[in-house]
């Protein structure tokens, strides 16, 4: 059973050597880097942008929702739960017409903002769930000591929530890096192209150069593989908390 | 200290209301601007004859429910609905079944188990486009791994992606592979929450492995299975990348689902009004299941609290 389930991922790791000699494989990478290099850079920029935007917006909101009793807070939490159910294609459709009017089609800013629509609700719910468990004594003590809400937020809440912030940021990065839907609908490929769209167009040109495609695929998979090794703990934490909590 | 505490408390609480709101404001603004407005605009678009020209002229004549009527009258509508149902049901059953089997398997500790389990996360972490491209390559009729294997065991080559009969099973297969890690991780977490003493007690009473699973594990896992299946349903209904990369909805619309069709209407045929209409149908379906999920999640939480 394990063997069977692992087989696809095993086949995935050795696609080039199975059909191409070693020299050919390197050739594929060279080609991939030459044609997809700029796309990889675009994707990194977009993914990092999404991480920053999501955390900057989500962290303060989570603090308010978790620790300060704000009227209407539960309504916002409910709204954030519901919007996660909205299919991406509908968001893409809707954002396309809006972005068209704002001139945000084909812009990094537009894509970051679009990706953030998916990552912010998740980040808020995850961070809120964590910050609720931060003991009140900690924050109340800092307030008694004369720290305002901002001081408390920056010097107590943020440092304590470091792990949750890493998880939320990680998921934002992974989502934006892997995003294909917004990338293919909100860009035309004229000024830049995220890596996912690059692979898609690569595959779409029927003269299937599988060697090059697989090399690109491997390059695009690197962040996932690295994160799996380095941050598996956070990945599992995010997976389970996103599903079971709230 | 006891005297000092109430004094600062009263102060911050009043102007604290504004500060608390200031923390919340960016998120609220974001939801309004990037969810509320676009979705409202989407509803408006679905009642307009919105075409490429509309972007330049800003004119989109109001057509009432004509877009919905056109979509419903389109023979592709029933195809897309049927494909969506088959795709969702097929993916869910096998993702869950295999995920559960693996979770039970990994619940027992053995050397290398943790490593294998983390390897199994890989399909989930990979960008869907990458997985889709790899599977498309494996499905390739002449050079693909799958057909190489089927030739080896003496079965003829299967025209996975070029036949209308095989294309849907092929994308479902791909999606199953992608969905297993999610099911595995959540169910594994659920299994670990079941006290081992219950299993031991059942074993002492003479229950075999299957009986232990059937009468101890399965009932206790039920809240978690409910959540996994509901979430899987909500996620699978909106799958787009996988189908787009592996088949693009073809051949001859054999794998066209509501999502890919909505994409096609808007960004291929530039019938944005109709694309928006299909999208709104999709929202209704997703929200209906989503509310079911929230209800079951709430029930689970209540159960856990009790």
């Amino acid at each position: 059973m394990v063997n069977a389930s692992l087989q696809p991922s095993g086949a995935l790791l050795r696609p080039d050597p199975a059909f191409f000699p070693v020299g050919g494989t390197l050739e594929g990478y060279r080609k991939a880097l030459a044609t997809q290099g700029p796309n990889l850079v675009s994707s990194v920029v977009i993914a990092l942008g999404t991480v920053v935007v999501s955390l900057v917006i989500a962290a303060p909101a989570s603090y308010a929702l978790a620790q300060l009793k704000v009227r209407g807070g539960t309504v916002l939490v409910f709204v954030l739960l519901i919007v996660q159910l909205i299919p991406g294609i509908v968001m893409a459709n809707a954002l396309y017409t809006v972005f068209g009017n704002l001139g945000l089609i084909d812009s990094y800013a537009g894509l970051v903002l679009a990706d953030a629509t998916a990552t912010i609700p998740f980040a808020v719910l995850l961070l809120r769930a964590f910050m609720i468990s931060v003991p009140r004594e900690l924050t109340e003590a800092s307030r008694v000591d004369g720290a305002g809400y901002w001081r408390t937020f920056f010097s107590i809440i943020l440092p304590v929530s470091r792990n949750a912030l890493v998880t939320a940021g990680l998921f934002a990065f992974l989502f934006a890096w892997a995003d294909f839907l917004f990338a293919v609908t909100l860009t035309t490929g004229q000024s830049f192209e995220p890596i996912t769209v690059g692979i898609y167009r690569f595959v779409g040109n029927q003269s299937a150069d599988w060697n090059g495609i697989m090399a690109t695929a491997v390059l695009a998979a690197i962040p996932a593989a690295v994160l799996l090794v380095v941050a598996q703990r956070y990945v599992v934490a995010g997976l389970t908390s996103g599903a079971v909590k709230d | 200290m006891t005297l000092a505490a109430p004094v600062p408390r009263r102060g911050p609480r009043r102007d604290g209301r504004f500060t608390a709101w200031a923390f919340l404001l960016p998120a609220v603004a974001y939801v309004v601007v990037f969810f509320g407005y676009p979705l409202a605009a989407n509803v408006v678009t679905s009642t307009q004859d919105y075409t490429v020209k509309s972007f330049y002229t800003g004119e989109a004549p109001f057509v009432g429910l004509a877009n919905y009527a056109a979509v419903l009258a389109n023979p592709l509508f029933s195809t897309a609905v049927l494909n969506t149902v088959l795709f969702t049901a097929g993916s869910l059953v096998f993702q869950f079944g295999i995920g559960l089997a693996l979770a039970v398997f990994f619940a027992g500790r053995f050397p290398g188990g943790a490593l294998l389990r983390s390897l199994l996360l890989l399909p989930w972490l990979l960008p869907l486009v990458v997985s889709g491209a790899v599977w498309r390559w494996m499905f390739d009729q002449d050079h693909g791994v799958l057909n190489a294997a089927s030739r080896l065991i003496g079965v003829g080559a299967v025209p996975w992606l070029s036949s209308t009969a095989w294309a849907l099973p092929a994308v479902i297969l791909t999606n199953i592979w992608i969905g297993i890690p999610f099911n595995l991780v959540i169910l594994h977490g659920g299994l670990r929450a079941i006290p081992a003493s219950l299993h031991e007690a059942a074993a002492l009473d003479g229950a075999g492995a299957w009986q232990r699973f059937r009468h101890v594990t399965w009932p206790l896992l039920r809240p978690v299975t409910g959540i996994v299946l509901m979430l899987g349903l909500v996620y699978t209904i909106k799958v787009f990348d996988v189908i787009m990369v592996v088949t693009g909805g073809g051949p001859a619309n054999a794998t066209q689902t509501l999502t890919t069709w909505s994409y096609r209407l808007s960004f291929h045929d530039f019938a944005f009004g109709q694309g928006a209409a299909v999208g709104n149908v999709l929202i209704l379906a997703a929200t209906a299941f989503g509310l079911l999920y929230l209800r079951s999640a709430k029930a689970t939480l209540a159960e856990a609290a009790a």
Side-chain angles (χ1 to χ4, degrees):
Chain A
M1 183 75 80
V2 185
N3 190 17
S5 71
L6 279 173
Q7 216 156 20
S9 68
L12 200 152
L13 291 173
R14 50 169 180 78
D16 325 80
F19 278 86
F20 296 96
V22 179
T25 311
L26 289 177
E27 183 56 38
Y29 280 95
R30 206 168 301 140
K31 219 184 305 170
L33 274 180
T35 56
Q36 304 293 325
N39 298 349
L40 283 167
V41 176
S42 299
S43 281
V44 170
V45 171
I46 292 163
L48 290 178
T50 307
V51 172
V52 172
V53 170
S54 333
L55 289 185
V56 164
I57 292 182
S62 320
Y63 168 55
L65 288 173
Q67 295 267 336
L68 317 170
K69 297 227 178 322
V70 186
R71 198 175 300 163
T74 41
V75 177
L76 182 62
V77 171
F78 188 71
V79 168
L80 290 175
L81 270 173
I82 291 291
V83 295
Q84 285 190 307
L85 305 173
I86 299 170
I89 181 67
V90 181
M91 288 306 297
N93 234 324
L95 288 174
Y96 186 78
T97 39
V98 175
F99 280 13
N101 296 329
L102 296 176
L104 282 173
I105 302 285
D106 258 338
S107 71
Y108 283 99
L111 216 45
V112 165
L113 290 171
D115 283 340
T117 60
T119 56
I120 285 179
F122 179 79
V124 171
L125 295 175
L126 185 134
L127 291 173
R128 173 182 155 273
F130 181 85
M131 288 179 187
I132 282 179
S133 65
V134 173
R136 285 293 156 85
E137 291 83 11
L138 215 56
T139 47
E140 305 243 304
S142 90
R143 293 256 296 290
V144 170
D145 287 348
Y149 285 109
W150 286 105
R151 274 286 305 273
T152 313
F153 176 62
F154 279 111
S155 42
I156 308 277
I157 294 287
L158 286 186
V160 167
S161 319
R162 212 193 56 138
N163 280 356
L165 287 168
V166 172
T167 306
L170 195 86
F171 272 70
F173 185 92
L174 277 175
F175 177 85
W177 176 266
D179 165 65
F180 168 66
L181 181 54
F182 290 133
V184 78
T185 49
L186 302 178
T187 66
T188 57
Q190 278 161 7
S191 50
F192 70 97
E193 206 169 54
I195 184 71
T196 47
V197 179
I199 295 177
Y200 175 66
R201 301 240 157 93
F202 213 153
V203 178
N205 300 340
Q206 263 304 336
S207 57
D209 168 16
W210 288 115
N211 178 265
I213 293 169
M214 287 306 134
T216 317
V218 170
L219 289 180
I222 287 176
V226 169
L227 290 174
L228 185 64
V229 174
V230 178
Q232 198 210 338
R233 190 157 62 95
Y234 298 108
V235 172
V236 175
L239 246 179
T240 42
S241 72
V244 184
K245 280 192 188 153
D246 329 302
Chain B
M1 209 53 195
T2 40
L3 273 177
V7 181
R9 234 184 223 181
R10 199 164 287 168
R13 188 148 288 182
R14 198 166 296 146
D15 70 344
R17 177 129 309 154
F18 294 103
T19 325
W21 265 103
F23 278 106
L24 218 47
L25 195 64
V28 171
Y30 201 90
V31 167
V32 171
V33 175
F34 289 101
F35 281 106
Y37 179 62
L39 289 178
N42 204 41
V43 172
V44 174
T45 306
S46 73
T47 63
Q48 291 175 327
D49 184 17
Y50 208 102
T51 57
V52 184
K53 221 170 63 187
S54 310
F55 282 103
Y56 298 105
T57 59
E59 282 170 29
F62 178 76
V63 292
L65 295 176
N67 284 323
Y68 290 91
V71 163
L72 287 175
N74 195 323
L76 264 181
F77 180 75
S78 52
T79 313
V81 168
L82 182 66
N83 283 342
T84 309
V85 170
L86 287 177
F87 179 79
T88 310
S91 300
L92 276 187
V93 168
F94 289 100
Q95 281 174 2
F96 179 78
I98 300 172
L100 179 61
L102 287 172
V104 170
F105 180 77
F106 282 115
R109 288 168 187 282
F110 54 90
L115 181 71
L116 277 179
R117 203 156 48 81
S118 56
L119 269 182
L120 279 171
L121 274 180
L122 196 63
W124 183 83
L125 280 172
L126 284 179
L128 290 172
V129 174
V130 170
S131 316
V134 172
W135 275 89
R136 189 173 161 146
W137 170 73
M138 296 204 297
F139 282 132
D140 194 290
Q141 191 169 351
D142 299 319
H143 314 291
V145 182
L146 287 180
N147 277 345
S150 70
R151 270 191 297 267
L152 263 184
I153 58 170
V155 191
V158 177
W160 288 105
L161 299 181
S162 49
S163 107
T164 49
W166 283 103
L168 191 61
V171 286
I172 293 177
L173 190 62
T174 311
N175 196 53
I176 291 170
W177 180 79
I178 291 166
I180 288 175
F182 172 77
N183 285 269
L184 169 64
V185 170
I186 311 256
L187 290 171
H188 187 258
L191 283 179
R192 296 191 85 168
I194 299 175
S197 53
L198 288 177
H199 283 122
E200 285 158 18
L204 279 180
D205 290 345
W210 168 248
Q211 280 183 314
R212 284 202 301 270
F213 175 78
R214 177 72 190 75
H215 296 289
V216 178
T217 312
W218 182 246
L220 286 173
L221 202 59
R222 258 205 54 184
V224 182
T225 58
I227 287 183
V228 170
L229 286 175
M230 260 358 255
L231 272 182
L233 187 65
V234 171
Y235 289 152
T236 315
I237 282 186
K238 52 184 187 181
V239 163
F240 171 78
D241 316 35
V242 180
I243 301 176
M244 211 52 202
V245 174
V246 176
T247 64
N253 295 313
T255 55
Q256 204 75 267
T257 61
L258 286 172
T259 46
T260 56
W261 191 36
S262 173
Y263 171 81
R264 195 181 169 79
L265 284 171
S266 285
F267 296 102
H268 197 270
D269 305 341
F270 299 111
F272 287 97
Q274 293 192 22
V278 174
N280 286 333
V281 170
L282 206 54
I283 285 200
L284 282 182
T287 333
F289 288 122
L291 289 176
L292 273 177
Y293 159 66
L294 287 181
R295 267 187 57 186
S296 73
K298 223 174 245 166
T300 316
L301 286 186
E303 228 167 84

